[in-house]
Amino acid sequence: MPISQLMILPFLSLMRTELIVTGSLLLFFVLYLVQLKSNRTLLTLLHSMWLMVLITAFISPDSGTLFADTFKSNGLISFEKTFLFIFFGIILCFNADWLLQQKNLYEFIILMLAALLGICMLLSSKHFLLLYLSLELTAIPIATLCVLELRKRAASEAGTKMIFSSAFASGILLFGISLMYGLSGSLYFNDLSVLKLNSSLHALAFILIFAAFAFKLSLVPFHLWTADVYQGSPITITTFLSVVSKAGSAFILLAILYNVFPNFEPLWYNLIIVVSVMTILIGNLFAIRQTNVKRFLAFSSIAQMGYIIAGMSAFSNEGASAVIYFVTIYGFSNLIVFGVFALVSQLTGKEEIEDYRGFYHQNKLLSWSLAIGLISLAGIPPTAGFFGKFLLMTAAASKINLYFVIFLGLNLMVSLYYYMRIVRNMFESSDTPLQTIKLNLAAKTGIYLCIASILLLGFIGWFYDHIQQLVMLN
Amino acid sequence: MSLYLILLFPSLTIALLLALRSSRAVKWVSFVGSLAQLALLIAFYFHFKSLDSGTAIKPFKYQEQITWFPSVDIHFHIGIDGIALSLMLLTAVVMMGAVLVSWNIKTLVKEYFILLILLSIGAYGTFMSLNLIVLFFFLEVAVIPKFLLISIWGSGNKKYSANKLAIMLIGASAFIFTGMVSLYFMLPEGERSFDIIQLSQTIIDTNIQSLVYVLIFIGFGTFSAVFPFHNWVPDGHSSAPTAGSMLLAGISMKLGGFGLLRVATYLFPLAALQYAEIVIALGAVSILYGAVVTMMQKDLKYLNAYSSISHCGFIILGMGMLTQTALNGAVIQLISHGIMTALFFAIIGMIYERTHTRTIGEMSGLLTTIPFISTMLIIVGLCSLGLPGMSGFVSEMLVLMGCFEKQSLFHRAAAILSAMSIVITAVYILRAVTKVTMGDTHGSQIAYRNASWNEKLAALLLVAAIFIIGLYPQWLVDLVSNDTKLIIDKILLSK
């Protein structure tokens, strides 16, 4: 066989997701030039791209590397990408009406695709340079998306905060990377993985890199941008930030800790414990006081991130599988909560927790969905959130750090309190309940998909086993 | 017969309820569902007894197991022994009473019944599980229904009570969880397991036992309202709707007692011996403290809630004694108190529906206006103070007899102090019941309507259960003594 043919096949199969996204990105640029104006057509195109990604996900995932060993793909990475796209699809479902009426749909689609491409490349990167580039490719479009509603003051605040904090994080990351390069002479993950924690400079370089990801995951003390950005951005973007972008960052942090710096484990174990305790505590305590649903979800997602990194502390295959399992379940639970808030806020403009008093009497399906999502976030059975938290905390317990496990468990009390406050609010009676919200087919699809995943995923042990096998093959 | 049926019946009922629209149909379906569940469990009882005669002592006669998360050793392993079966019978009886008592619910009827049945699924699952994780799962399933039942259909300071209950129970679960996973990871590599039967056969190191026992005891102790962890009981029980109180006191508190027996005592015999005196002391304090505080109560629901703490102290006391008689007594007290307190709450609910007050001082002479309900109140009061012929007498008697099998001064003192509570109980029960039922009637009270068929049926069902246990306790003792003997043997062996 000629060499060119040999090269092109793995290229096509390993990069299939990225190629489809890049292709449609170019397509949308062309359409923009020819001034296609129909939102419906554009969305149909976007949906067909999404469908193509999902269909190609079923091609048996083969592992391999590309571009002089800087890009890799394997079963686990395609699994993660598939789930990110499923989440993206659900976001499109919940916001179908909003997107149809969107004036800046071109900008939305192009920036969104760029961000998605960035996240996909991020997950596949095997070299710090590619990692840095893809991180930027994600951060800048998202910051731009935050100001999609140009006329809103809060939106510009959100966008500014987002771009400044992203730039700061990138700066820190670059500093860390350059120190690492100075110490090891290479930026390949493979070369770095044999690096020993020999000097305090090693520790400093690692901490700088860790801090950059702490920014992305909004771990304390790098969480300050989260609430304002969440509140100011359109809820569609907030959802994307909170689910897809967070999930992507969690996956890559996991890979960096486990595969790139395994020898730094004594350092990052302690780091994670401290950061996790602070993150959970601050996220939980601030979430109690919030009145706006977006700010509330911002702080509650901060607390959830604390649990995610607590699971990472296990440093075992079980830990990695538990984190990935939890992130997928967290994605579905968060999506349905955001979805209901999006449907309500886009129709009525109401975004306060108090507005949901008596919600149940007019909107039964939406209330049950919201309740199931919140119960799952709180980690109470029979929802999948229970299994996610359970496996995560079991992983965290594998180091037999009793106080830490009790801390994690007791903090579930706090989160239960604020999640349940909303659930109770909905069932109470109110003088001015929200109107009945009509659901279109897309929204219903999203709701049923999320409910089914939340209620069933936990009972399907196969799902977790599948993740664990992928992790072991990784 | 398959054990899955026990979980299937209530689940099917819920599925059916979801499809229904009329609230009348909802009530009837729930009624038929709970009746079918009771019938199923009675069938299980007779089948269980027929197995009993032939085979030698073997802990779990029925077992079912399917793999759930194979890689982390979580199997959906369920099985029943005499203790579990008797507690499930209790659940079915109380559940039926609760459905009947809720006939007059007006708001969100469908949701109410779904939550009630979900709570009962949590209880059935907990009693059946033979895997610690499955047990934990079902224990937590019941938390959200409790919270919502109190905060939506409750009365009084319901928000505060619901929060307090949910937060304390989740906190308790945190301790149980920590105990379970630290046990798992502290065991040597090859012996790690969550399976109760497998764990009961491994020899667990003393240090691990004494650490994990404490965590598990705090957790399940909170569920069963042992003295320093009892705060959620009075508020939770008195704010809940009638059926909610019945299930909370009748079943939910029993989950704690059951957990202490099945997990703490059965799996950690050495630690149970080591801490026996503390457990006895806590039990005795709960009994006396509960009784003394009950004397101060003016509200009927608070009266019963605090007296529950006192009665549940006997369960802890029996478990601390570690003799077979006392353990039998503890298990029977679980069941007897479940039925008695459910009936008490049901009657209080019925009285409240008519008088619109629960304050003892504002009621008098109800015996002439609502004779059936008042009679039931007298019966349940007498059961509570331990009148022979009723279930309360049997169980408390057994526990105290078990106490006297131990010779030391400490055990004697604990037994005598606990026995004193019976006098206090007589004081507060007789005072309250006399004030409510006897005396002059106010003019306005004549118009109270008598008990309706559903109320009568609920009360009679529970009263029948009280007398069945009280007059012929032997069947229950036979049912549980094989399994309590196993626990005691294990403790004696580990000495």
Side-chain angles (χ1 to χ4, degrees), chain A residues 238-255:
Chain A
T238 315
T239 319
F240 184 83
L241 253 178
S242 163
V243 178
V244 183
S245 156
K246 284 272 161 61
S249 312
F251 290 148
I252 190 68
L253 179 61
L254 186 71

Side-chain angles (χ1 to χ4, degrees), chain B residues 165-188:
Chain B
L165 175 133
I167 287 174
M168 279 195 71
L169 292 188
I170 291 287
S173 311
F175 281 95
I176 297 173
F177 172 81
T178 315
M180 289 182 334
V181 291
S182 48
L183 169 69
Y184 182 82
F185 286 110
M186 281 195 285
L187 284 173

Side-chain angles (χ1 to χ4, degrees), chain A residues 218-234:
Chain A
S218 53
L219 305 176
V220 175
F222 308 109
H223 67 290
L224 294 164
W225 57 276
T226 320
D228 294 329
V229 172
Y230 275 34
Q231 191 183 13
S233 321

Side-chain angles (χ1 to χ4, degrees), chain A residues 190-470:
Chain A
N190 282 354
D191 297 339
L192 287 172
S193 65
V194 293
L195 203 62
K196 295 258 180 334
L197 184 57
N198 283 334
S199 67
S200 50
L201 196 59
H202 283 89
L204 178 67
F206 173 77
I207 288 173
L208 288 171
I209 294 175
F210 184 83
F213 286 100
F215 258 110
K216 298 284 167 202
L217 281 173
S218 53
L219 305 176
V220 175
F222 308 109
H223 67 290
L224 294 164
W225 57 276
T226 320
D228 294 329
V229 172
Y230 275 34
Q231 191 183 13
S233 321
I235 200 156
T236 319
I237 313 303
T238 315
T239 319
F240 184 83
L241 253 178
S242 163
V243 178
V244 183
S245 156
K246 284 272 161 61
S249 312
F251 290 148
I252 190 68
L253 179 61
L254 186 71
I256 286 184
L257 292 181
Y258 280 36
N259 302 336
V260 187
F261 297 112
N263 296 328
F264 287 48
E265 199 261 346
L267 171 66
W268 58 251
Y269 177 73
N270 292 321
L271 205 62
I272 277 183
I273 300 285
V274 174
V275 172
S276 161
V277 166
M278 286 197 305
T279 308
I280 293 173
L281 211 57
I282 289 186
N284 270 344
L285 292 182
F286 278 73
I288 295 177
R289 304 287 303 165
Q290 301 307 317
T291 55
N292 177 290
V293 291
K294 281 181 186 167
R295 290 185 78 85
F296 163 76
L297 282 174
F299 283 106
S300 90
S301 81
I302 290 176
Q304 302 278 359
M305 290 304 136
Y307 279 94
I308 289 178
I309 60 162
M312 288 182 192
S313 73
F315 194 42
S316 60
N317 280 338
E318 284 76 29
S321 333
V323 168
I324 294 168
Y325 181 75
F326 180 81
V327 170
T328 51
I329 285 165
Y330 162 80
F332 284 115
S333 324
N334 225 0
L335 275 174
I336 197 165
V337 173
F338 266 114
V340 174
F341 286 157
L343 290 168
V344 172
S345 120
Q346 282 156 16
L347 195 75
T348 64
K350 297 206 165 145
E351 288 188 354
E352 296 295 310
I353 291 177
E354 233 1 73
D355 295 333
Y356 285 81
R357 187 179 291 281
F359 189 55
Y360 182 75
H361 302 280
Q362 306 295 328
N363 301 285
K364 294 222 152 85
L365 177 64
L366 282 182
S367 305
W368 278 122
S369 329
L370 190 54
I372 288 174
L374 290 170
I375 290 173
S376 179
L377 284 178
I380 305 289
T383 57
F386 168 77
F387 298 98
K389 280 257 164 63
F390 174 80
L391 291 167
L392 208 58
M393 285 165 63
T394 310
S398 64
K399 295 264 166 124
I400 321 186
N401 192 341
L402 271 192
Y403 296 111
F404 187 49
V405 182
I406 291 186
F407 171 84
L408 293 178
L410 290 180
N411 264 279
L412 287 181
M413 297 193 320
V414 185
S415 63
L416 183 82
Y417 169 74
Y418 58 71
Y419 287 126
M420 285 301 109
R421 203 175 46 154
I422 300 183
V423 176
R424 182 181 57 211
N425 237 356
M426 292 193 303
F427 287 96
E428 277 173 355
S429 53
S430 156
D431 303 332
T432 52
L434 288 172
Q435 72 217 65
T436 308
I437 288 159
K438 283 216 172 60
L439 298 173
N440 55 15
L441 187 66
K444 275 191 183 155
T445 317
I447 286 176
Y448 287 125
L449 203 66
C450 287
I451 291 186
S453 335
I454 292 174
L455 292 183
L456 296 180
L457 273 185
F459 292 100
I460 308 173
W462 167 86
F463 181 63
Y464 179 76
D465 274 7
H466 181 62
I467 294 178
Q468 196 162 31
Q469 270 166 18
L470 290 175

Side-chain angles (χ1 to χ4, degrees), chain B residues 324-340:
Chain B
Q324 204 194 341
T325 323
L327 266 192
N328 281 345
V331 176
I332 296 175
Q333 173 75 340
L334 280 173
I335 292 151
S336 141
H337 176 255
I339 294 169
M340 180 192 84

